[in-house]
Amino acid sequence: MTKFSFTRTAQDGRARTGVIETTRGAIRTPAFMPVGTAATVKAMLPGSVRETGADILLGNTYHLMLRPTAERIERLGGLHKFMNWERPILTDSGGFQVMSLAALRKLTEKGVTFKSHIDGSKHEITPERSMEIQRMLGSDIVMCFDECPALPADRARISESMQLSMRWAARSKEAFGDRPGHALFGIQQGGLEEDLRAESAAALREIGFDGYAVGGLAVGEGQEAMFGCLDFAAGQLPEDTPRYLMGVGKPDDIVGAVARGIDMMDCVLPSRSGRTGQVFTRRGVLNIKNARHADDPRPLDDRCDCPACRQYSRAYLHHVFRSQEIIASMLMTWHNLHYYQTLMAGMRDAVSEMRFAAFEAEFHAARAEGDIEPL
């Protein structure tokens, strides 16, 4: 059985590229993980997601435990078989969704009790239950159960939350046990406070994990504050393990995070935006619903080789989106995921060739140009 491992193959400044080896295949870093919330990346077939260049998907513990339940997925052969994705899967712990979605949440030292956003049924997640659910799902990378306060929050609240998350991290590690071929990641907390982040990182390193995530960002603090935190937070984590920035994000967030030493990211943005008509291109963001596209025979991006750009015009995509045809979500989600994976490949090449600063400058320059002029 392949042992989980991380090898850095090049570094340019703080930007890194490398490979994470798992039993289900290699993950090239920096890596962007499309989000398969309910065992599917919405509007995409698994094979199509792979064609965009994705090496790994993210599954949501909270959503899957509620429907169809982790017990049912386990009976049916595990999440990989259930959703027809045989490559690596990372599952989050459920903590963020409990914070953001669940009604009548009650937080104690033991864990969190909450009412389902689906039917109001009562549930409890503890570090031990989170590890059990993720074991039943069969994910390759498991995340510790943590508590994530929304920002802004006062320092006392952030410190209390971080210390609770570190106690839960230790319980998660004990409950995870010895699972060859599977990895457990710890999650750094501490808000925007450098000393609290350092305290969290030290606690996690003492427990010992296969990888480490920067949690508690992209929760309302803004890009400038997030980058300011990443300037010190990433460097507080071990250099010889993957660093994962949870829930990020926009293309410029991703490039800035990689520049600060991040190896893995995930976000619903490319797929959710595809369904709402927002399209990411090298020249920035365009909205396909706008009337300027109605008679435009040109592709979304003339340098993109995804099916939406190779085979369809802006005029057609405008039409099917305005007509609420399902193919609109399919094509624009495919394009957005392809764009994200192309961006990741470009950064991997740039780091390998020691030209990341030039890549970053070219990325921002192209986006500053804005979309092509209307016909």
Side-chain angles (χ1 to χ4, degrees):
M1 180 177 288
T2 303
K3 185 178 180 181
F4 180 92
S5 66
F6 173 59
T7 303
R8 287 178 293 158
T9 55
Q11 183 159 342
D12 185 3
R14 284 184 286 170
R16 299 133 51 103
T17 188
V19 179
I20 300 170
E21 294 288 351
T22 77
T23 58
R24 292 185 180 270
I27 304 163
R28 299 162 293 177
T29 65
F32 178 80
M33 298 181 285
V35 176
T37 301
T40 174
V41 178
K42 291 180 173 62
M44 294 287 286
L45 291 170
S48 303
V49 177
R50 177 62 178 155
E51 284 184 46
T52 68
D55 291 334
I56 178 173
L57 297 184
L58 182 143
N60 288 112
T61 293
Y62 169 87
H63 290 280
L64 293 171
M65 70 168 281
L66 295 178
R67 185 173 58 192
T69 75
E71 289 78 6
R72 177 168 291 149
I73 291 174
E74 183 181 38
R75 288 196 303 270
L76 293 169
L79 185 56
H80 296 84
K81 181 179 179 181
F82 187 62
M83 68 180 293
N84 189 30
W85 175 265
E86 290 303 325
R87 292 194 57 80
I89 294 175
L90 179 150
T91 46
D92 60 15
S93 69
F96 177 79
Q97 282 75 24
V98 169
M99 181 269 286
S100 62
L101 296 177
L104 301 178
R105 183 187 75 153
K106 183 179 179 182
L107 178 71
T108 67
E109 183 69 33
K110 181 182 178 184
V112 183
T113 55
F114 61 93
K115 287 189 176 181
S116 164
H117 74 287
I118 298 171
D119 60 9
S121 57
K122 189 174 181 180
H123 299 268
E124 180 181 53
I125 303 184
T126 64
E128 294 77 15
R129 175 59 176 159
S130 178
M131 295 304 100
E132 180 186 28
I133 293 168
Q134 293 181 78
R135 179 193 57 76
M136 287 189 284
L137 295 175
S139 53
D140 304 279
I141 300 177
V142 172
M143 301 305 299
C144 281
F145 188 60
D146 66 330
E147 203 249 328
C148 176
L151 298 179
D154 62 59
R155 180 182 168 87
R157 169 75 179 93
I158 292 170
S159 178
E160 179 185 21
S161 173
M162 180 273 290
Q163 291 171 22
L164 176 63
S165 288
M166 296 308 98
R167 295 192 295 274
W168 284 359
R171 286 168 55 191
S172 294
K173 175 71 179 289
E174 183 176 357
F176 180 79
D178 183 18
R179 296 184 60 201
H182 299 267
L184 179 65
F185 280 25
I187 305 175
Q188 181 200 48
Q189 293 289 352
L192 303 176
E193 308 292 328
E194 185 169 3
D195 61 329
L196 296 182
R197 288 275 173 184
E199 182 183 340
S200 176
L204 294 173
R205 294 175 81 146
E206 184 174 351
I207 297 167
F209 293 95
D210 301 298
Y212 297 82
V214 179
L217 295 179
V219 289
E221 75 280 1
Q223 187 188 78
E224 183 179 354
M226 180 179 73
F227 284 171
C229 181
L230 288 176
D231 282 337
F232 56 76
Q236 294 169 340
L237 301 175
E239 291 190 354
D240 58 351
T241 58
R243 298 167 176 165
Y244 165 30
L245 178 59
M246 305 180 75
V248 172
K250 297 177 182 177
D252 52 332
D253 292 338
I254 289 174
V255 173
V258 171
R260 290 163 174 81
I262 295 296
D263 305 301
M264 304 168 68
M265 286 135 288
D266 77 278
C267 192
V268 298
L269 195 60
S271 50
R272 178 179 290 168
S273 295
R275 302 193 304 276
T276 59
Q278 189 178 55
V279 179
F280 296 96
T281 77
R282 60 189 171 81
R283 298 176 64 124
V285 183
L286 65 89
N287 193 327
I288 201 65
K289 72 180 73 170
N290 290 347
R292 59 164 288 184
H293 305 296
D295 291 300
D296 197 330
R298 298 172 295 180
L300 297 171
D301 188 331
D302 62 6
R303 296 188 193 174
C304 179
D305 61 356
C306 80
C309 291
R310 286 199 322 266
Q311 300 168 359
Y312 299 95
S313 66
R314 292 182 177 213
Y316 178 76
L317 295 170
H318 171 84
H319 159 68
V320 291
F321 181 83
R322 300 284 288 192
S323 301
Q324 299 183 331
E325 294 290 341
I326 294 171
I327 195 174
S329 294
M330 296 165 60
L331 288 172
M332 287 185 285
T333 299
W334 192 319
H335 169 85
N336 282 347
L337 290 174
H338 182 277
Y339 168 80
Y340 268 61
Q341 296 299 342
T342 300
L343 177 63
M344 306 315 291
M347 287 192 287
R348 291 192 294 265
D349 289 344
V351 174
S352 296
E353 297 164 10
M354 301 297 289
R355 54 176 182 83
F356 187 82
F359 175 93
E360 191 174 14
E362 292 164 7
F363 166 82
H364 289 296
R367 289 171 62 84
E369 292 178 9
D371 194 18
I372 55 178
E373 291 295 322
L375 292 175

